[in-house]
Amino acid sequence: NLLDQAIEASGTESTRIVLGGFSQGGTVAILAGLSYPRKLAGIISISGWGAYRQSLPPKVLEANKATPVLFSCGKGDPIVTFPLTHQTGEVLQSIMGDNASIMHVERPCHPPESTEMMAAAKFIQAQLNL
């Protein structure tokens, strides 16, 4: 596992890692983070979507059932459309409850706005107690 290799090489505890990504990277962060067998500090997805939305709940391992998740999407994103991201947000909310923070941002493009990047920075600071 790539994450295990990075943890071993760096000596960083998994509980000090916030896994995140943009677009397809956000999709990978959600699935990899929630199915990772060691506790993570947090998961961030910006302009991503949930792969395996209907079958995601059993893929979430015990270690990360309570891991905070920040999921941000644009209402006018022409690449990853709002119906897809809205459904993903609902699935994450149903699985993670209050541990999922869902942001629906009024933006007409795929790249994130500064408010999303600031929210991600604050999320990382909060999860890592910086």
Side-chain angles (χ1 to χ4, degrees), residues 27-105:
T27 300
V28 171
I30 292 169
L31 186 57
L34 294 179
S35 65
Y36 189 62
R38 292 195 241 173
K39 175 82 174 121
L40 296 170
I43 300 166
I44 299 173
S45 175
I46 299 175
S47 297
W49 64 94
Y52 308 107
R53 285 173 305 287
Q54 302 308 321
S55 61
L56 185 59
K59 294 182 187 319
V60 179
L61 296 185
E62 191 64 38
N64 287 299
K65 281 188 176 176
T67 297
V69 175
L70 174 62
F71 179 76
S72 180
C73 59
K75 288 185 173 183
D77 188 332
I79 308 297
V80 182
T81 63
F82 188 65
L84 174 60
T85 55
H86 186 263
Q87 184 184 34
T88 298
E90 288 178 338
V91 169
L92 287 172
Q93 199 79 65
S94 73
I95 297 169
M96 307 303 291
D98 291 340
N99 291 314
S101 298
I102 313 299
M103 292 178 64
H104 297 146
V105 180

Side-chain angles (χ1 to χ4, degrees), residues 18 41 44 70 117-130:
V18 175
I44 299 173
L70 174 62
M117 297 308 291
M118 290 302 298
K122 287 180 183 178
F123 179 85
I124 292 167
Q125 290 173 338
Q127 302 321 307
L128 299 179
N129 296 315
L130 299 177

Side-chain angles (χ1 to χ4, degrees), residues 22 46-47 72 77 105 107 109-117:
F22 167 72
I46 299 175
S47 297
S72 180
D77 188 332
V105 180
R107 62 172 154 85
C109 56
H110 189 53
E113 292 193 346
S114 61
T115 55
E116 293 168 275
M117 297 308 291

